[in-house]
Amino acid sequence: MTFTYVPPVPAEQIRQLPTRDVALLLLQHLTDSNSRHLQFGGLVNSARQAFQSEPDEDALLDGLADAWTWLESRALLSRDHTQSDAFRRVSREGKELAEDPAWIVQ
């Protein structure tokens, strides 16, 4: 059995877009996943598998880390009070932003 890992944001977009735009794409991915309990470590582990054949894997993972931090710094991701400190959830503002088609990165 072969598993195919799909990155939360495509490698080319991480390479080409500014952090803000990568963060908004990541927010869309996190909102679409319908998971209330989000962990940065889980995101990175999955992305590491998806990017393993990319020559700039570390730079791509750094780009995702920057995007995650951008989302947290704007309260679009917040702590999940039902879980340990490692868990986050998409905040109300994050959900509202993700549902607004005007922000979608082209």
Side-chain angles (χ1 to χ4, degrees), residues 25-91:
L25 290 169
L26 178 59
L27 177 66
Q28 184 69 55
H29 168 80
L30 296 173
T31 303
D32 289 347
S33 74
N34 284 329
S35 177
R36 177 172 163 81
H37 310 297
L38 307 171
Q39 279 190 299
F40 177 71
L43 175 86
V44 169
N45 288 337
S46 179
R48 182 174 284 118
Q49 293 295 322
F51 295 143
Q52 67 184 347
S53 64
E54 299 290 341
D56 55 347
E57 176 185 347
D58 285 336
L60 295 171
L61 295 173
D62 287 345
L64 283 178
D66 293 348
W68 181 281
T69 302
W70 190 95
L71 292 172
E72 283 189 317
S73 73
R74 282 145 182 90
L76 301 174
L77 292 181
S78 62
R79 298 246 332 251
D80 186 338
H81 72 88
T82 67
Q83 299 292 319
S84 70
D85 290 348
F87 288 89
R88 300 292 182 265
R89 64 178 179 80
V90 176
S91 69

